[in-house]
Amino acid sequence: MSQICIVLDTNVLLSGTAYPSSIPGKIVSAWRNGSIEVILSEYILDELHRVLPRLNHRLGWSNMEIRDFVDSLAFLADLVEPIQISDPILRDKADQPVLGTFLAANAKYLVTGDKDLLALSVYYPIITPADFWQLHGK
């Protein structure tokens, strides 16, 4: 896999953490092994920290382990401040900071499973984990 710079949405980080053998898990693993570069924002990391406890039935992590994990991702990623935009075609305004992270990152792709963000793929290089893996995974 060539070194490529991407933004991972929270849902990809969440799925990749909870299901390491899944395609999102392979992407997260490739990142943690240094094969790809990931750019995130505090917004994405905070959202991950907020939703990870919902997977405690699968992970069994304490609050401290969740915080340590999110902190380790912050250490691995380049962090950017999301660009504040008001894109009228954005169906879910809650996705604005994720799109803003992608625009600030100047990354090749935003990798997400979010259907509202994927609907913008005609305007921005936004792709699913499966499509990213098909293009760049090994």
Side-chain angles (χ1 to χ4, degrees):
M1 182 181 295
S2 61
Q3 184 77 5
I4 189 167
C5 181
I6 62 174
V7 171
L8 295 178
D9 193 2
T10 308
N11 58 64
V12 178
L13 292 168
L14 196 62
S15 295
T17 302
Y19 303 96
S21 62
S22 68
I23 290 176
K26 291 176 183 177
I27 294 170
V28 170
S29 178
W31 167 37
R32 295 185 81 181
N33 291 327
S35 299
I36 58 176
E37 181 182 348
V38 172
I39 300 176
L40 302 173
S41 62
E42 287 293 334
Y43 175 86
I44 291 172
L45 291 169
D46 289 346
E47 187 175 45
L48 181 64
H49 184 258
R50 204 170 50 252
V51 297
L52 263 174
R54 296 181 194 164
L55 292 178
N56 240 6
H57 65 281
R58 180 144 182 91
L59 299 171
W61 291 351
S62 69
N63 287 337
M64 182 58 87
E65 289 170 316
I66 289 171
R67 172 49 56 201
D68 288 347
F69 176 74
V70 173
D71 286 348
S72 74
L73 296 185
F75 179 75
L76 285 174
D78 290 330
L79 296 179
V80 297
E81 185 68 30
I83 292 174
Q84 296 298 317
I85 58 165
S86 180
D87 196 324
I89 57 174
L90 190 61
R91 297 189 305 204
D92 182 355
K93 298 303 178 200
D95 290 330
Q96 185 279 326
V98 177
L99 182 59
T101 298
F102 171 69
L103 295 174
N106 198 27
K108 184 160 177 92
Y109 300 110
L110 169 57
V111 181
T112 184
D114 184 305
K115 291 184 186 338
D116 291 322
L117 285 169
L118 288 167
L120 300 177
S121 66
V122 296
Y123 306 103
Y124 304 103
I126 301 173
I127 61 176
T128 66
D131 288 341
F132 174 79
W133 196 250
Q134 183 177 7
L135 291 169
H136 300 285
K138 297 285 186 239

